[in-house]
Amino acid sequence: MKNFFIKILDTILNNRIFRILSIILLSSIIWISFFKNSNIWYDEFYTIKIIDNNIKDIISITANDVHPPLYYLLLKVYTLIFGTGLNPLKFFSIIPLVLILILNEFEVRKLLGKKIANAFVIIFLSSAIVMEYAIEIRMYSWSMFFLYGMTLYAIKYCQKKDSLSIILMTIFSILGIYTHYYVLLSAVILYLIMILFNIKNFYKLLISGLVNLVCYLPWIGILFNQIIQVKQNFWIPEITISTILKYPYYIFRLGNFTNAYIIFISLIIILALYFILKKESKYKKESLICFITFLATCIIGITISILVKPVFYARYASISIVSCMILFLSIYIGNINSKRLRIILLILFVIFGIVSYSYRMHLEFDFSKEYINTVNKYINSDDAILFTSNVEQSVIISYYFENYNYYTLKTYNNSPFKYIKDFNDDIFNQYERIFIILFNNSHYNDDEYLLEYIDTLDLGEWCTFDIYQIYKK
C-alpha cells in the first residue's frame, strides 16, 4: 500500500501541468498572505500617484525622476483593468515572480536538470528578499523577472547556440533596461560575458546588442539628463567601508536571525565557488555567467558611487541576487553528489524560509490604523499640514487623508505631488492651526517660526513620525 501511494505521488510530481499549478498555488498563498494591511512607504506612494496621470504625463514625470518608465506604464495599463486598490497593486508585483517560477519549470528543468530546478523552487520560495519585493508596489520584482529571463536565455544560448534563445534574450534585455538602470548595467555586463564565452559566434550577440541600442535611442537623451540631475543632487548618502559592510545586514535582515542567515548564505556561496572552480565541475560556464553578472554589477555600482557620486543602494543588489544568485546556488546544490547533504542544505533553506515568513509577517503589522488614529487625534480637515524639503516620507499622510490641506517648502511642479501647494506666510491668515509632521527624528529649523511638540508615533522598525504645531513669531 505504501509503495502504491509513493508511486501515485511520483506520477503526480512528474506531471508538468500539475507541478506548475501546484507551484503557482503555493507561491501565491505565501505572498498573498502578506496582504493584511494598508501600509505603504514613500516610494510606493510615489508609484500610486504617478499612475493617477495619463500615459504622456507618466513619461514626462518619469523623465524628471531617476528611473525608466516601463514599470509605470505596465502598471497603468494593469490598473485600467483591475483598478487602483492597494491589493490589486500589490498583486501586480507577484505576477513576475510567478513567471520566474514558470520559466524555471519550462527551461531550467530541461537545460540543467530536475535537481537544479527543484532546488531553485525551494530557495526562491524561501528567500527573504523575494518575500519582501513580492508585495512592494515598485519595479523590483519586474526587474528581477526581466534580468532572470535574460540570464536564463543567455545560458541556453551558450548551450544550444540557437537563434530563438538570442531573440528571447534580446527581448528580455530591452524590457529590463526600460525598467531599472541596474538591469541596464547588468545587461551590459552579461553581453560582455557572453561575447567572451562565445567569441566564435559573437556576431549574433553583436546584432542583439545593436538592437538593444536602437530600441533604447528614444530614452538615451533622457538618461543623460537624469545623470546630470543625479550628479547635482541625489538622496543616497556617501558610501564608505562601513556602508558596504552593512549591505548584507540590510539585504538579509531577519531580526534576531540576521547573523545566522548571513553566515549560512556566505558559506553556501563559498562552497559553490569552490565547486565551480574545480576543473571537473559541471555547468561551470552557466554558474560563472550568474555569479559574474551579480558581482560585477555590485562592484561597478559601488565603484561609481565612491569615485563619482553615490548611486548604489543595498536594495539595488537585490535584483541580481534574485535573478542570478539564486540560480547560481541552485546549480551548486543540484549538483551535489551526496543526496543527504543536498537534502540537509535544502531543509536549512526551508527553515530560514519559515523564519523569513514569520519576520515578514511581523513587519507587515497594520500600523496604518494607529497612524490614522494618532493624526485624527490632533489634526482635522480644517487645519493645514506643512511638508519640508528634507522629509518627503511625510507626504504619505496625504494617502490616508486625501481631503486635507497640504503645503510644502519644496516645489512639486513636475512630480506626482502637484496637489501640494507652496507655503507662504499668508497661510497663517487662512488657518487657525498649522502642523508639521517630521519623519524619523528629522529636524526643521527656521528663525521665522516656532514649533510646539505635540506627539510621536513610533512604528518600530518602520519609522517614527513627530507631530509639531507651527506658529509665526
Side-chain angles (χ1 to χ4, degrees):
M1 182 63 71
K2 181 180 178 182
N3 291 334
F4 174 74
F5 283 113
I6 291 174
K7 188 175 181 179
I8 291 177
L9 180 62
D10 187 58
T11 302
I12 291 172
L13 290 176
N14 285 320
N15 183 292
R16 174 183 283 180
I17 295 175
F18 178 84
R19 196 170 56 245
I20 291 173
L21 290 176
S22 299
I23 290 170
I24 292 173
L25 181 63
L26 176 61
S27 60
S28 298
I29 288 172
I30 291 172
W31 298 325
I32 290 174
S33 67
F34 298 130
F35 289 12
K36 63 174 189 172
N37 59 57
S38 300
N39 304 341
I40 60 169
W41 66 298
Y42 172 77
D43 282 14
E44 291 179 295
F45 183 44
Y46 188 90
T47 301
I48 292 169
K49 298 309 294 183
I50 277 187
I51 61 172
D52 279 345
N53 296 274
N54 58 43
I55 298 294
K56 182 180 177 181
D57 286 344
I58 288 174
I59 294 173
S60 175
I61 292 169
T62 308
N64 285 275
D65 189 31
V66 290
H67 290 294
L70 182 59
Y71 167 76
Y72 299 119
L73 297 176
L74 291 174
L75 184 58
K76 177 66 178 180
V77 173
Y78 170 86
T79 57
L80 295 176
I81 303 170
F82 298 101
T84 57
L86 207 55
N87 285 344
L89 291 176
K90 290 181 178 181
F91 187 79
F92 185 68
S93 294
I94 287 178
I95 294 171
L97 300 179
V98 171
L99 292 175
I100 286 176
L101 290 170
I102 292 173
L103 265 183
N104 174 69
E105 282 299 308
F106 277 98
E107 296 291 0
V108 174
R109 190 169 288 272
K110 288 190 297 183
L111 282 173
L112 306 174
K114 67 177 183 179
K115 291 178 183 178
I116 293 173
N118 291 340
F120 183 89
V121 172
I122 292 171
I123 298 171
F124 190 82
L125 291 180
S126 301
S127 169
I129 301 172
V130 172
M131 291 182 197
E132 178 177 357
Y133 291 106
I135 60 167
E136 186 168 293
I137 309 170
R138 294 295 287 163
M139 69 286 296
Y140 293 101
S141 63
W142 283 95
S143 300
M144 293 167 185
F145 170 57
F146 294 140
L147 181 55
Y148 176 76
M150 189 175 14
T151 305
L152 188 58
Y153 285 106
I155 288 173
K156 188 173 182 179
Y157 178 73
C158 280
Q159 289 189 1
K160 308 290 185 182
K161 299 294 187 293
D162 61 317
S163 298
L164 180 59
S165 294
I166 201 73
I167 290 170
L168 290 172
M169 177 185 169
T170 306
I171 292 171
F172 274 106
S173 176
I174 294 167
L175 294 172
I177 63 181
Y178 267 108
T179 304
H180 199 285
Y181 289 131
Y182 271 91
V183 179
L184 171 60
L185 176 58
S186 296
V188 172
I189 293 165
L190 186 55
Y191 270 96
L192 291 175
I193 296 169
M194 290 292 290
I195 289 172
L196 288 174
F197 284 168
N198 299 273
I199 198 69
K200 292 181 180 179
N201 298 289
F202 80 97
Y203 66 93
K204 287 186 179 179
L205 291 162
L206 184 61
I207 293 171
S208 174
L210 289 173
V211 171
N212 272 267
L213 179 60
V214 170
C215 291
Y216 210 59
L217 284 176
W219 195 255
I220 284 180
I222 295 171
L223 170 60
F224 287 142
N225 287 333
Q226 290 177 333
I227 291 171
I228 293 170
Q229 291 176 28
V230 166
K231 279 188 175 182
Q232 294 172 349
N233 182 33
F234 199 44
W235 60 270
I236 296 179
E238 180 185 2
I239 292 181
T240 63
I241 297 298
S242 175
T243 308
I244 297 170
L245 293 175
K246 288 178 182 176
Y247 285 155
Y249 290 90
Y250 176 89
I251 297 170
F252 301 109
R253 62 191 184 280
L254 275 187
N256 295 330
F257 295 90
T258 299
N259 288 331
Y261 194 35
I262 291 172
I263 291 170
F264 172 67
I265 295 294
S266 300
L267 287 175
I268 298 295
I269 291 173
I270 291 168
L271 288 172
L273 285 171
Y274 173 76
F275 166 78
I276 66 168
L277 292 175
K278 290 168 62 179
K279 289 183 179 180
E280 67 273 16
S281 65
K282 195 176 182 182
Y283 300 127
K284 186 173 186 176
K285 187 179 292 185
E286 292 82 351
S287 299
L288 286 172
I289 287 172
C290 296
F291 183 74
I292 295 173
T293 301
F294 158 74
L295 186 64
T297 300
C298 293
I299 289 174
I300 293 172
I302 292 170
T303 302
I304 293 171
S305 297
I306 293 172
L307 299 179
V308 184
K309 180 77 176 181
V311 291
F312 186 83
Y313 203 63
R315 66 170 171 264
Y316 299 156
S318 300
I319 299 171
S320 52
I321 288 175
V322 171
S323 305
C324 302
M325 288 303 288
I326 290 182
L327 183 56
F328 170 76
L329 296 178
S330 301
I331 292 172
Y332 163 63
I333 291 176
N335 278 291
I336 294 175
N337 292 326
S338 170
K339 183 177 180 181
R340 179 176 296 179
L341 177 59
R342 187 167 64 248
I343 291 172
I344 289 172
L345 290 176
L346 290 175
I347 288 173
L348 287 172
F349 271 108
V350 172
I351 291 171
F352 278 112
I354 294 169
V355 175
S356 300
Y357 182 84
S358 176
Y359 182 67
R360 177 52 43 187
M361 291 296 274
H362 161 68
L363 290 180
E364 294 299 326
F365 76 97
D366 195 352
F367 67 68
S368 60
K369 291 178 182 177
E370 187 179 354
Y371 179 79
I372 291 168
N373 291 337
T374 302
V375 172
N376 272 331
K377 185 177 177 181
Y378 302 104
I379 305 174
N380 58 58
S381 58
D382 295 326
D383 301 321
I385 298 172
L386 171 64
F387 302 130
T388 59
S389 59
N390 64 328
V391 285
E392 290 189 326
Q393 295 283 2
S394 302
V395 301
I396 293 172
I397 187 178
S398 61
Y399 172 77
Y400 299 107
F401 301 92
E402 291 186 16
N403 299 317
Y404 279 40
N405 307 296
Y406 299 107
Y407 294 87
T408 181
L409 297 175
K410 176 182 179 179
T411 300
Y412 287 95
N413 290 331
N414 200 351
S415 85
F417 306 119
K418 296 176 185 177
Y419 62 91
I420 302 177
K421 304 170 187 175
D422 289 343
F423 184 80
N424 58 66
D425 284 352
D426 292 338
I427 306 302
F428 288 96
N429 299 323
Q430 297 179 36
Y431 302 96
E432 289 187 12
R433 301 190 306 169
I434 301 173
F435 293 89
I436 288 183
I437 298 181
L438 300 181
F439 174 78
N440 273 1
N441 301 312
S442 55
H443 300 283
Y444 172 69
N445 297 310
D446 195 310
D447 293 336
E448 295 183 32
Y449 308 115
L450 293 173
L451 267 63
E452 179 187 354
Y453 172 75
I454 303 296
D455 200 356
T456 294
L457 176 58
D458 188 352
L459 301 175
E461 296 183 49
W462 280 92
C463 58
T464 59
F465 288 97
D466 298 318
I467 302 174
Y468 292 85
Q469 187 167 350
I470 184 172
Y471 302 91
K472 190 175 182 181
K473 285 184 181 179

